[in-house]
Amino acid sequence: KSMVQDTKLPPERMGTRIEIQTKSKKKKKVPVITGEVATIKGDVLENGKHNLAIITGFFTPEINIREKVGSKVVIPSTKEEGKITGPFGKAGKCKVSFETGISASVGAKAELHAAS
């Protein structure tokens, strides 16, 4: 048996259009690095909170922390936000200043949000 193919196309239908679906762009997740509050330092503000904390676990000693100055740091338990002001020592610790003060205790978790 031989194969027979009809060369006639089906009748055109008005008002139909084939939409090509484009891939939706997914939001990239901002990397979050976790560390913990090592010590609480600095001046005591009017509200009784200290304005400076030393945080460990964000960086290894090889990383230049001065490049990360200004990055946002959040304490999830108290929702307090601060910014990295510079390195502290040579073991990868950093100083974080909190404008409204920090009420979290030593050992509290901290999150470093990459600058976006």
Side-chain angles (χ1 to χ4, degrees), residues 80-102:
E80 294 166 330
E81 292 185 9
K83 293 190 183 231
I84 294 178
T85 56
F88 184 80
K90 294 185 178 181
K93 294 185 268 188
C94 63
K95 291 187 280 188
V96 178
S97 66
F98 295 87
E99 289 183 21
T100 58
I102 178 171

PDB file of all heavy atoms in Angstrom, residues 80-102:
ATOM      1  N   GLU A  80      14.661  44.232  64.118  1.00  0.00           N
ATOM      2  CA  GLU A  80      15.478  45.441  64.115  1.00  0.00           C
ATOM      3  C   GLU A  80      16.425  45.403  62.927  1.00  0.00           C
ATOM      4  O   GLU A  80      16.953  44.353  62.574  1.00  0.00           O
ATOM      5  CB  GLU A  80      16.271  45.546  65.424  1.00  0.00           C
ATOM      6  CG  GLU A  80      15.363  45.742  66.610  1.00  0.00           C
ATOM      7  CD  GLU A  80      16.062  45.526  67.943  1.00  0.00           C
ATOM      8  OE1 GLU A  80      17.005  44.721  68.000  1.00  0.00           O
ATOM      9  OE2 GLU A  80      15.648  46.167  68.910  1.00  0.00           O
ATOM     10  N   GLU A  81      16.629  46.574  62.306  1.00  0.00           N
ATOM     11  CA  GLU A  81      17.492  46.674  61.141  1.00  0.00           C
ATOM     12  C   GLU A  81      18.694  47.550  61.451  1.00  0.00           C
ATOM     13  O   GLU A  81      18.568  48.578  62.107  1.00  0.00           O
ATOM     14  CB  GLU A  81      16.739  47.274  59.952  1.00  0.00           C
ATOM     15  CG  GLU A  81      15.660  46.377  59.408  1.00  0.00           C
ATOM     16  CD  GLU A  81      15.019  46.935  58.161  1.00  0.00           C
ATOM     17  OE1 GLU A  81      15.520  47.937  57.611  1.00  0.00           O
ATOM     18  OE2 GLU A  81      14.010  46.367  57.736  1.00  0.00           O
ATOM     19  N   GLY A  82      19.843  47.120  60.951  1.00  0.00           N
ATOM     20  CA  GLY A  82      21.060  47.888  61.121  1.00  0.00           C
ATOM     21  C   GLY A  82      21.899  47.812  59.864  1.00  0.00           C
ATOM     22  O   GLY A  82      21.515  47.188  58.883  1.00  0.00           O
ATOM     23  N   LYS A  83      23.054  48.483  59.910  1.00  0.00           N
ATOM     24  CA  LYS A  83      23.957  48.475  58.766  1.00  0.00           C
ATOM     25  C   LYS A  83      25.365  48.166  59.230  1.00  0.00           C
ATOM     26  O   LYS A  83      25.773  48.579  60.312  1.00  0.00           O
ATOM     27  CB  LYS A  83      23.938  49.830  58.058  1.00  0.00           C
ATOM     28  CG  LYS A  83      22.608  50.101  57.398  1.00  0.00           C
ATOM     29  CD  LYS A  83      22.679  51.312  56.512  1.00  0.00           C
ATOM     30  CE  LYS A  83      21.304  51.559  55.952  1.00  0.00           C
ATOM     31  NZ  LYS A  83      21.261  51.707  54.557  1.00  0.00           N
ATOM     32  N   ILE A  84      26.107  47.460  58.383  1.00  0.00           N
ATOM     33  CA  ILE A  84      27.496  47.135  58.697  1.00  0.00           C
ATOM     34  C   ILE A  84      28.310  48.419  58.635  1.00  0.00           C
ATOM     35  O   ILE A  84      28.230  49.168  57.657  1.00  0.00           O
ATOM     36  CB  ILE A  84      28.045  46.090  57.715  1.00  0.00           C
ATOM     37  CG1 ILE A  84      27.320  44.763  57.904  1.00  0.00           C
ATOM     38  CG2 ILE A  84      29.543  45.913  57.896  1.00  0.00           C
ATOM     39  CD1 ILE A  84      27.749  43.675  56.961  1.00  0.00           C
ATOM     40  N   THR A  85      29.098  48.672  59.699  1.00  0.00           N
ATOM     41  CA  THR A  85      29.939  49.868  59.724  1.00  0.00           C
ATOM     42  C   THR A  85      31.404  49.542  59.492  1.00  0.00           C
ATOM     43  O   THR A  85      32.169  50.434  59.168  1.00  0.00           O
ATOM     44  CB  THR A  85      29.789  50.624  61.058  1.00  0.00           C
ATOM     45  OG1 THR A  85      30.092  49.725  62.121  1.00  0.00           O
ATOM     46  CG2 THR A  85      28.389  51.157  61.220  1.00  0.00           C
ATOM     47  N   GLY A  86      31.794  48.284  59.671  1.00  0.00           N
ATOM     48  CA  GLY A  86      33.180  47.926  59.411  1.00  0.00           C
ATOM     49  C   GLY A  86      33.551  46.608  60.055  1.00  0.00           C
ATOM     50  O   GLY A  86      32.744  45.973  60.732  1.00  0.00           O
ATOM     51  N   PRO A  87      34.824  46.193  59.867  1.00  0.00           N
ATOM     52  CA  PRO A  87      35.280  44.937  60.462  1.00  0.00           C
ATOM     53  C   PRO A  87      35.581  45.097  61.938  1.00  0.00           C
ATOM     54  O   PRO A  87      35.761  46.206  62.435  1.00  0.00           O
ATOM     55  CB  PRO A  87      36.553  44.627  59.678  1.00  0.00           C
ATOM     56  CG  PRO A  87      37.046  45.953  59.226  1.00  0.00           C
ATOM     57  CD  PRO A  87      35.831  46.810  59.018  1.00  0.00           C
ATOM     58  N   PHE A  88      35.624  43.973  62.651  1.00  0.00           N
ATOM     59  CA  PHE A  88      35.983  43.971  64.066  1.00  0.00           C
ATOM     60  C   PHE A  88      36.943  42.815  64.282  1.00  0.00           C
ATOM     61  O   PHE A  88      36.545  41.657  64.217  1.00  0.00           O
ATOM     62  CB  PHE A  88      34.742  43.823  64.947  1.00  0.00           C
ATOM     63  CG  PHE A  88      35.033  43.908  66.411  1.00  0.00           C
ATOM     64  CD1 PHE A  88      35.197  45.135  67.018  1.00  0.00           C
ATOM     65  CD2 PHE A  88      35.168  42.766  67.184  1.00  0.00           C
ATOM     66  CE1 PHE A  88      35.472  45.230  68.371  1.00  0.00           C
ATOM     67  CE2 PHE A  88      35.437  42.845  68.522  1.00  0.00           C
ATOM     68  CZ  PHE A  88      35.599  44.080  69.134  1.00  0.00           C
ATOM     69  N   GLY A  89      38.198  43.121  64.504  1.00  0.00           N
ATOM     70  CA  GLY A  89      39.197  42.075  64.671  1.00  0.00           C
ATOM     71  C   GLY A  89      39.572  41.466  63.341  1.00  0.00           C
ATOM     72  O   GLY A  89      39.280  42.012  62.277  1.00  0.00           O
ATOM     73  N   LYS A  90      40.222  40.296  63.400  1.00  0.00           N
ATOM     74  CA  LYS A  90      40.680  39.661  62.169  1.00  0.00           C
ATOM     75  C   LYS A  90      40.023  38.308  61.929  1.00  0.00           C
ATOM     76  O   LYS A  90      40.428  37.580  61.046  1.00  0.00           O
ATOM     77  CB  LYS A  90      42.194  39.482  62.228  1.00  0.00           C
ATOM     78  CG  LYS A  90      42.924  40.808  62.244  1.00  0.00           C
ATOM     79  CD  LYS A  90      44.412  40.616  62.183  1.00  0.00           C
ATOM     80  CE  LYS A  90      45.107  41.966  62.150  1.00  0.00           C
ATOM     81  NZ  LYS A  90      46.553  41.839  62.078  1.00  0.00           N
ATOM     82  N   ALA A  91      39.023  37.970  62.707  1.00  0.00           N
ATOM     83  CA  ALA A  91      38.412  36.643  62.595  1.00  0.00           C
ATOM     84  C   ALA A  91      37.124  36.654  61.785  1.00  0.00           C
ATOM     85  O   ALA A  91      36.353  35.706  61.842  1.00  0.00           O
ATOM     86  CB  ALA A  91      38.139  36.090  63.992  1.00  0.00           C
ATOM     87  N   GLY A  92      36.851  37.723  61.029  1.00  0.00           N
ATOM     88  CA  GLY A  92      35.644  37.766  60.209  1.00  0.00           C
ATOM     89  C   GLY A  92      34.438  38.355  60.908  1.00  0.00           C
ATOM     90  O   GLY A  92      33.331  38.286  60.391  1.00  0.00           O
ATOM     91  N   LYS A  93      34.640  38.941  62.100  1.00  0.00           N
ATOM     92  CA  LYS A  93      33.528  39.584  62.798  1.00  0.00           C
ATOM     93  C   LYS A  93      33.327  40.984  62.222  1.00  0.00           C
ATOM     94  O   LYS A  93      34.243  41.562  61.641  1.00  0.00           O
ATOM     95  CB  LYS A  93      33.809  39.676  64.295  1.00  0.00           C
ATOM     96  CG  LYS A  93      33.879  38.330  64.975  1.00  0.00           C
ATOM     97  CD  LYS A  93      34.041  38.470  66.462  1.00  0.00           C
ATOM     98  CE  LYS A  93      35.516  38.459  66.805  1.00  0.00           C
ATOM     99  NZ  LYS A  93      35.754  38.413  68.240  1.00  0.00           N
ATOM    100  N   CYS A  94      32.108  41.522  62.396  1.00  0.00           N
ATOM    101  CA  CYS A  94      31.847  42.869  61.884  1.00  0.00           C
ATOM    102  C   CYS A  94      31.036  43.668  62.893  1.00  0.00           C
ATOM    103  O   CYS A  94      30.317  43.121  63.719  1.00  0.00           O
ATOM    104  CB  CYS A  94      31.129  42.812  60.543  1.00  0.00           C
ATOM    105  SG  CYS A  94      29.515  42.056  60.590  1.00  0.00           S
ATOM    106  N   LYS A  95      31.201  45.000  62.815  1.00  0.00           N
ATOM    107  CA  LYS A  95      30.438  45.922  63.649  1.00  0.00           C
ATOM    108  C   LYS A  95      29.177  46.312  62.892  1.00  0.00           C
ATOM    109  O   LYS A  95      29.235  46.638  61.706  1.00  0.00           O
ATOM    110  CB  LYS A  95      31.250  47.184  63.948  1.00  0.00           C
ATOM    111  CG  LYS A  95      32.421  46.970  64.844  1.00  0.00           C
ATOM    112  CD  LYS A  95      33.069  48.279  65.242  1.00  0.00           C
ATOM    113  CE  LYS A  95      33.960  48.760  64.114  1.00  0.00           C
ATOM    114  NZ  LYS A  95      34.764  49.923  64.471  1.00  0.00           N
ATOM    115  N   VAL A  96      28.050  46.280  63.585  1.00  0.00           N
ATOM    116  CA  VAL A  96      26.781  46.671  62.984  1.00  0.00           C
ATOM    117  C   VAL A  96      26.148  47.734  63.862  1.00  0.00           C
ATOM    118  O   VAL A  96      26.024  47.558  65.076  1.00  0.00           O
ATOM    119  CB  VAL A  96      25.827  45.457  62.854  1.00  0.00           C
ATOM    120  CG1 VAL A  96      24.496  45.882  62.272  1.00  0.00           C
ATOM    121  CG2 VAL A  96      26.453  44.377  62.004  1.00  0.00           C
ATOM    122  N   SER A  97      25.779  48.866  63.248  1.00  0.00           N
ATOM    123  CA  SER A  97      25.146  49.935  64.023  1.00  0.00           C
ATOM    124  C   SER A  97      23.638  49.902  63.793  1.00  0.00           C
ATOM    125  O   SER A  97      23.171  49.667  62.684  1.00  0.00           O
ATOM    126  CB  SER A  97      25.711  51.302  63.628  1.00  0.00           C
ATOM    127  OG  SER A  97      25.359  51.610  62.301  1.00  0.00           O
ATOM    128  N   PHE A  98      22.909  50.130  64.873  1.00  0.00           N
ATOM    129  CA  PHE A  98      21.442  50.165  64.841  1.00  0.00           C
ATOM    130  C   PHE A  98      21.017  51.555  65.271  1.00  0.00           C
ATOM    131  O   PHE A  98      21.318  51.979  66.388  1.00  0.00           O
ATOM    132  CB  PHE A  98      20.861  49.110  65.797  1.00  0.00           C
ATOM    133  CG  PHE A  98      21.163  47.696  65.388  1.00  0.00           C
ATOM    134  CD1 PHE A  98      22.341  47.078  65.786  1.00  0.00           C
ATOM    135  CD2 PHE A  98      20.279  46.989  64.601  1.00  0.00           C
ATOM    136  CE1 PHE A  98      22.627  45.784  65.405  1.00  0.00           C
ATOM    137  CE2 PHE A  98      20.564  45.687  64.218  1.00  0.00           C
ATOM    138  CZ  PHE A  98      21.732  45.084  64.616  1.00  0.00           C
ATOM    139  N   GLU A  99      20.317  52.280  64.384  1.00  0.00           N
ATOM    140  CA  GLU A  99      19.914  53.661  64.691  1.00  0.00           C
ATOM    141  C   GLU A  99      18.965  53.717  65.876  1.00  0.00           C
ATOM    142  O   GLU A  99      19.061  54.607  66.705  1.00  0.00           O
ATOM    143  CB  GLU A  99      19.271  54.309  63.465  1.00  0.00           C
ATOM    144  CG  GLU A  99      20.266  54.618  62.368  1.00  0.00           C
ATOM    145  CD  GLU A  99      19.621  55.327  61.204  1.00  0.00           C
ATOM    146  OE1 GLU A  99      18.538  55.921  61.373  1.00  0.00           O
ATOM    147  OE2 GLU A  99      20.209  55.281  60.111  1.00  0.00           O
ATOM    148  N   THR A 100      18.036  52.770  65.964  1.00  0.00           N
ATOM    149  CA  THR A 100      17.057  52.781  67.055  1.00  0.00           C
ATOM    150  C   THR A 100      17.500  51.916  68.222  1.00  0.00           C
ATOM    151  O   THR A 100      16.766  51.763  69.182  1.00  0.00           O
ATOM    152  CB  THR A 100      15.687  52.282  66.556  1.00  0.00           C
ATOM    153  OG1 THR A 100      15.843  50.973  66.024  1.00  0.00           O
ATOM    154  CG2 THR A 100      15.130  53.217  65.497  1.00  0.00           C
ATOM    155  N   GLY A 101      18.688  51.326  68.123  1.00  0.00           N
ATOM    156  CA  GLY A 101      19.184  50.482  69.204  1.00  0.00           C
ATOM    157  C   GLY A 101      18.853  49.023  68.960  1.00  0.00           C
ATOM    158  O   GLY A 101      18.011  48.686  68.130  1.00  0.00           O
ATOM    159  N   ILE A 102      19.545  48.158  69.701  1.00  0.00           N
ATOM    160  CA  ILE A 102      19.320  46.724  69.571  1.00  0.00           C
ATOM    161  C   ILE A 102      18.896  46.178  70.931  1.00  0.00           C
ATOM    162  O   ILE A 102      19.549  46.408  71.936  1.00  0.00           O
ATOM    163  CB  ILE A 102      20.571  45.993  69.034  1.00  0.00           C
ATOM    164  CG1 ILE A 102      20.326  44.495  68.945  1.00  0.00           C
ATOM    165  CG2 ILE A 102      21.804  46.310  69.843  1.00  0.00           C
ATOM    166  CD1 ILE A 102      21.409  43.736  68.225  1.00  0.00           C
TER     167      ILE A 102
END
